[in-house]
Amino acid sequence: MSVTNKITIIRPGRQSLKAAIQEFWEYRDLLWMLALRQVSVRYKQTAIGIGWVLLQPLVAMGIFTVVFGNFAKIPSDGIPYPIFSYSALILWGLFSDGLTRAGSSLIAEERLISKVYFPRLIIPLAAVGSAWVDFAVSLFLLLPLTYIYHLRPTWSLLLLPVAMVVTMILGAGVGMLLAALNVKYRDFQYAVPFVMQIWLYASPIVYSVNLVPASIRPFYYLNPMAGLIELCRFAVTGQGNFSLIGLSLSVAGAIAFFIIGSTVFRWVERSFADFI
C-alpha cells in the first residue's frame, strides 16, 4: 500500500468589484450599528458627554481668535474672525476625526475581525460615519453664532452638503489607505497625528487663501482641503468667494484618494488575519 503526501493549499479568492459592492450592501445594517456604537462608546463615562464635541472647536476658535485675529491681525475677508475660524474648524474636524478614527479602526476592532466574517471595509467607513455625528452637533452651534455676529443664511447655505459629502469621501479614502497600511506597519499610528498637525496649518483655517501669493495659489489648491474649507466658509456666511478651480481639484483629489484607498484596502485585506 503506497502513501502519497499530497498537500492542498487553500487561498482566499479575489472578489470582483461588483460582487464586493453587492456584499457590502447586504451588510449595510452592520455599518449603521458600528457607527452608532463608536459614538456611544466614545463619550461613555464622560462628565459632559457629547458636549466635548462643542467644547473642542469652541476652545480652538477662542485661541485662534485671540492669537491670529487680535494679536497677529490676520485678515479674514470681512468675516468676523470667530465665525471665520469656527466654520473652517468644524469641516476640518469632520475630515481629521474621520481619517484618524478610520486609520486605527482595524486595530481597535481586532477581536471582531478575528472571530466573525463580514466585509472588512465596513470598519473604516463606520469610523468615518461616526465623525459625521460630531460634525452635525458642531454645525448646530454655528447657527446661533452667526446670528450673534449679524450674519443671516443665504442661498449659499445650499452648498454646505457639497462640502460635507466631498470631505467625507476624502476622509474615507485616506482613512482606508491608512487603515490598510497600519495593520502591517504600526508606524502610521504615530505618524498620523504629526502629519495632521502639519496639514492643519497648510490649510486655510486660520488665514485666508487670499494671503497665498497668486503665483503659487494653483499649487496650493493641490491640498484638497483648501478648496473645501473655502466652500464651507462661503456656504455658512454667504460672504467672500470660493475658487471653482480649487473646488474642482478638491473633488478630483477626493475621488482619487477614495479609489486608491479602496483599491489598496481590497488588495491587502486578505492578509489582515496574519498581522492582527
Side-chain angles (χ1 to χ4, degrees):
M1 181 177 179
S2 63
V3 178
T4 58
N5 295 325
K6 184 178 180 180
I7 300 175
T8 302
I9 299 176
I10 301 175
R11 297 183 185 277
R14 183 174 295 280
Q15 276 185 317
S16 66
L17 180 61
K18 182 180 178 181
I21 294 174
Q22 287 178 340
E23 186 183 50
F24 183 85
W25 180 251
E26 291 173 358
Y27 283 86
R28 61 188 182 280
D29 291 340
L30 180 61
L31 173 68
W32 176 249
M33 290 174 59
L34 287 177
L36 289 181
R37 193 192 70 170
Q38 289 202 16
V39 173
S40 62
V41 169
R42 177 167 298 277
Y43 301 108
K44 189 177 181 181
Q45 294 182 339
T46 58
I48 63 174
I50 204 166
W52 282 107
V53 176
L54 301 176
L55 188 62
Q56 292 173 359
L58 276 176
V59 171
M61 178 193 74
I63 295 173
F64 288 169
T65 299
V66 172
V67 176
F68 298 105
N70 295 342
F71 294 166
K73 303 291 184 186
I74 292 180
S76 57
D77 296 339
I79 303 170
Y81 200 89
I83 303 298
F84 180 85
S85 58
Y86 188 84
S87 58
L89 279 168
I90 59 172
L91 192 73
W92 174 259
L94 175 64
F95 171 67
S96 175
D97 291 346
L99 184 155
T100 306
R101 294 175 193 178
S104 59
S105 59
L106 292 176
I107 305 299
E109 299 290 356
E110 175 184 356
R111 292 185 176 180
L112 190 61
I113 290 175
S114 59
K115 291 181 179 178
V116 184
Y117 174 76
F118 58 92
R120 305 307 191 222
L121 199 58
I122 282 180
I123 294 179
L125 293 183
V128 175
S130 69
W132 182 86
V133 177
D134 293 357
F135 173 78
V137 174
S138 302
L139 186 63
F140 182 75
L141 182 64
L142 186 58
L143 296 177
L145 280 176
T146 55
Y147 269 86
I148 290 174
Y149 287 95
H150 308 292
L151 296 173
R152 297 293 180 267
T154 66
W155 66 267
S156 63
L157 198 59
L158 298 174
L159 295 172
L160 186 60
V162 177
M164 182 189 70
V165 170
V166 178
T167 301
M168 290 187 71
I169 293 173
L170 177 63
V174 182
M176 285 188 289
L177 180 63
L178 289 175
L181 296 176
N182 197 29
V183 170
K184 189 173 182 180
Y185 305 103
R186 303 297 169 91
D187 308 70
F188 284 95
Q189 63 183 324
Y190 303 105
V192 168
F194 175 67
V195 171
M196 294 310 294
Q197 285 294 320
I198 297 174
W199 201 338
L200 185 148
Y201 287 103
S203 302
I205 294 174
V206 299
Y207 57 87
S208 168
V209 174
N210 292 325
L211 290 181
V212 178
S215 58
I216 64 171
R217 205 170 294 165
F219 301 101
Y220 181 76
Y221 280 124
L222 292 177
N223 172 6
M225 283 306 295
L228 293 174
I229 289 173
E230 259 196 327
L231 178 64
C232 180
R233 192 173 278 146
F234 174 76
V236 169
T237 64
Q239 298 187 16
N241 52 31
F242 67 93
S243 167
L244 285 176
I245 295 177
L247 178 60
S248 301
L249 289 174
S250 297
V251 173
I255 294 173
F257 270 113
F258 192 87
I259 293 173
I260 294 171
S262 58
T263 302
V264 172
F265 191 95
R266 292 185 65 224
W267 182 263
V268 301
E269 182 181 6
R270 294 185 300 171
S271 62
F272 282 168
D274 297 332
F275 297 100
I276 288 182

